[in-house]
Amino acid sequence: MTDHLSFERAAAFSFAIHVAALLVLSLAARMNIQFEPEVYTVELVMPDHAPSPEPPRVETPGPDRLESTPPPQPLTEPEPAPEPEPVAADEPAPSPAAMADYAASREVLATRSRQMAEQKAAYRRKLAAAEAAAARETAEAARAREIERLRQEQARQAAIERIRQEQARGAEMDRIRRLAAEQAARASSATSQAEMDQARREYALKIEALILENFVFPETVPATTQSTVDITVLRDGTIRINGFETPSGNRIFDRAALSAITKTGTVPAPPFGKEMPLGVNFGRKEIR
C-alpha cells in the first residue's frame, strides 16, 4: 500500500513538472523570450512488485451540469468598414453664354406655359359660351313650340267659334227668311192700306236683319261709325244696290257694308209682287 502511494506521488510530481514546463514555454513563445532550456532529470524508482496503475477516472457530467453549461455562441463575422464617401470634384463655373442660354430657355418655357394657360382659359370660355348658346337655343325653341301650340289652339278655338257663329247666323237667317215669307203671304191678303203699310214695314225689318247678320264691324274704325245703303228688293228676291244714302266716310267701313249685302244673296220675294226700295243702316247695334 505504501509503495502504491509513493508511485502515485511520483507520477503526480512528474506530471506537474511537465505542465509547468509547458506553461513556461508557452509564455516564452508569446513574449518572444529566447533562453536555453534547462534539462532536469527525474529518475523514477519503481518497486519490484509495484501494482499496475489504475486508469484515470473520467467523470461524466450529470444532467444538471449539462443543463447548466451554456451552448456555444456562433462566431460572428466582423462588420466591414464603411466605404469612404466619394469626394465630389469641383465643377467649373458656367460661362456667361451658358447662363444666358439657360435664362433664355427658362423664359421660353415660361412663355409657352403662359400661352398654354391662356389657350386653356380661352377654350373654357368658348365652351361655356357654346353651352350657354345651346341652352338659349333650346329654351327659345321650347318657347317657340309653346307659342305655336297656343297659336294653333287659339286658331282652332277661333275656327270653332266662327263655325258656331256661322251656324247660328244661318239658323237665324233661315228663321228670318221664313218669317219674311210668312209676312209676305199675309200681306198679300191685306185689304186696307194700313195693313199693307204694316206688312211692308215688317218685311223691310226682316230684310235688314238678314243683311246685318252678314255684316262684320271693322275693328280698326271708330265705334261710332255708321252708314246707310239704299237698296231695292226685286220681285224675285234679288237685291240691287243703288248706292250710299249716307256714307260713313271710311272706305274700310263702307266696303264691309257692301260686302254684307252681296253675301246675303237672294231674299224672300217682297209682298204684293212689287219691287220694294229700302235703306239698310250699318253700325254698332247699340248705336243704330
Side-chain angles (χ1 to χ4, degrees):
M1 185 67 179
T2 305
D3 293 336
H4 179 71
L5 292 175
S6 299
F7 178 79
E8 287 183 356
R9 291 175 181 173
F13 181 73
S14 176
F15 179 76
I17 291 174
H18 282 84
V19 170
L22 290 175
L23 289 175
V24 170
L25 291 176
S26 176
L27 291 174
R30 289 186 181 182
M31 298 177 63
N32 198 13
I33 300 175
Q34 295 181 359
F35 60 91
E36 293 181 359
E38 294 181 359
V39 179
Y40 295 90
T41 302
V42 179
E43 293 181 359
L44 298 177
V45 179
M46 300 294 295
D48 293 336
H49 301 282
S52 59
E54 294 181 0
R57 295 182 181 181
V58 179
E59 295 183 359
T60 303
D64 53 347
R65 295 186 63 183
L66 289 176
E67 290 180 359
S68 62
T69 304
Q73 297 294 330
L75 298 178
T76 58
E77 297 181 358
E79 296 182 359
E83 297 180 359
E85 297 181 357
V87 179
D90 295 337
E91 297 181 357
S95 62
M99 293 296 293
D101 292 341
Y102 177 73
S105 300
R106 288 181 60 86
E107 183 64 24
V108 169
L109 290 176
T111 302
R112 289 182 179 176
S113 299
R114 287 194 300 269
Q115 291 176 353
M116 292 181 64
E118 292 174 357
Q119 290 176 358
K120 289 182 180 179
Y123 174 75
R124 292 193 184 96
R125 289 193 298 269
K126 186 176 180 180
L127 181 61
E131 291 177 352
R136 286 195 301 271
E137 290 178 359
T138 303
E140 290 176 358
R143 185 164 55 252
R145 288 194 300 269
E146 182 64 18
I147 292 174
E148 180 64 19
R149 188 188 67 80
L150 292 176
R151 187 188 65 78
Q152 292 178 359
E153 180 65 19
Q154 291 176 356
R156 189 179 68 85
Q157 294 294 336
I160 293 174
E161 181 64 19
R162 185 168 57 254
I163 293 172
R164 187 187 65 79
Q165 291 178 359
E166 289 178 356
Q167 291 175 350
R169 185 166 56 250
E172 181 64 16
M173 290 180 66
D174 292 340
R175 187 183 69 81
I176 294 173
R177 288 176 186 275
R178 186 175 61 254
L179 292 176
E182 293 174 357
Q183 187 66 32
R186 286 195 301 271
S188 300
S189 61
T191 55
S192 62
Q193 187 64 36
E195 291 177 354
M196 294 176 64
D197 293 340
Q198 181 65 24
R200 289 191 183 91
R201 286 194 297 272
E202 291 179 357
Y203 177 78
L205 291 175
K206 297 297 187 294
I207 299 304
E208 184 180 27
L210 283 173
I211 294 172
L212 293 177
E213 283 293 326
N214 295 314
F215 176 68
V216 179
F217 195 96
E219 297 295 335
T220 58
V221 300
T224 57
T225 305
Q226 296 183 22
S227 68
T228 303
V229 181
D230 186 13
I231 65 172
T232 298
V233 181
L234 304 180
R235 287 183 295 178
D236 59 355
T238 304
I239 299 175
R240 183 180 66 203
I241 300 175
N242 300 323
F244 283 92
E245 181 179 339
T246 305
S248 65
N250 188 299
R251 288 183 298 178
I252 298 176
F253 186 88
D254 292 342
R255 282 199 300 268
L258 296 177
S259 177
I261 296 173
T262 303
K263 190 175 181 179
T264 302
T266 303
V267 296
F272 312 115
K274 296 181 180 180
E275 297 179 356
M276 178 177 290
L278 55 93
V280 181
N281 297 317
F282 292 92
R284 296 285 186 183
K285 292 181 180 181
E286 60 271 14
I287 297 177
R288 291 199 308 270

